């Protein structure tokens, strides 16, 4: 019943969910992101990767967020890095070279949407003829 369409649909659903989120977060930063300098106020190390805890000024105060992970962090505690943040979602912060054009995430979103649609159709047809 459904054959391989069910596990493929589940995988396509996960890819769609994550690629959609990556596409929209990057799109928000490309459209309305504000570039600013942030001061590194701490680090977290896990599995050979380092996340930087950075603090930067926003309208009405300051914000602390983690950026990364990095194999080789671009700054140490007390140093500064350039970040781009979304003024409508202050948790959406990336380094400028991490934003990209969004084409890969958009292609993954479109491809996984089509694959999910075909899988659902195959499952419906299989159950209708069962």
């Amino acid at each position: 019943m459904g054959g391989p369409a069910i596990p493929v649909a589940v995988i396509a659903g996960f890819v769609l969910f994550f690629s959609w989120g990556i596409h929209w977060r990057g799109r928000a930063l490309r459209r309305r992101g504000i570039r600013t300098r942030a001061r590194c106020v701490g680090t977290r190390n896990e599995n050979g990767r380092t996340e930087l805890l950075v603090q930067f000024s926003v309208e009405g105060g300051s914000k602390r967020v983690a950026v990364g992970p990095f194999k080789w962090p671009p700054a140490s505690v007390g140093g500064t890095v350039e970040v781009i943040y979304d003024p409508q979602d202050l948790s959406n912060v990336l380094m400028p070279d991490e934003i990209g054009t969004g084409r890969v995430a958009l292609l993954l979103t479109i491809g996984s949407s089509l694959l999910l649609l075909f899988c659902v159709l195959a499952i419906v047809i299989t159950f209708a003829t069962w």
Side-chain angles (χ1 to χ4, degrees), residues 35-98:
R35 189 178 292 252
T36 189
R37 298 294 295 174
R39 187 170 55 90
C40 179
V41 294
T43 60
R44 277 192 296 220
N45 295 312
E46 188 174 306
N47 298 330
R49 300 279 186 183
T50 302
E51 281 190 335
L52 300 179
L53 180 62
V54 297
Q55 182 172 352
F56 54 94
S57 297
V58 295
E59 191 173 308
S62 66
K63 178 71 178 168
R64 284 184 182 213
V65 296
V67 293
F70 302 100
K71 192 167 187 167
W72 294 283
S76 56
V77 175
T80 61
V81 293
E82 192 170 35
V83 296
I84 298 177
Y85 71 92
D86 180 357
Q88 294 178 11
D89 177 9
L90 295 177
S91 66
N92 188 6
V93 180
L94 288 175
M95 306 289 285
D97 35 332
E98 291 179 326

Side-chain angles (χ1 to χ4, degrees), residues 5-46:
I6 293 173
V8 172
V10 170
I11 293 168
F14 279 116
V15 172
L16 175 60
F17 177 78
F18 288 109
S19 63
W20 181 259
I22 291 168
H23 173 71
W24 278 103
R25 285 178 53 108
R27 183 175 186 222
L29 290 174
R30 284 187 297 279
R31 288 194 171 193
R32 63 177 177 259
I34 297 174
R35 189 178 292 252
T36 189
R37 298 294 295 174
R39 187 170 55 90
C40 179
V41 294
T43 60
R44 277 192 296 220
N45 295 312
E46 188 174 306

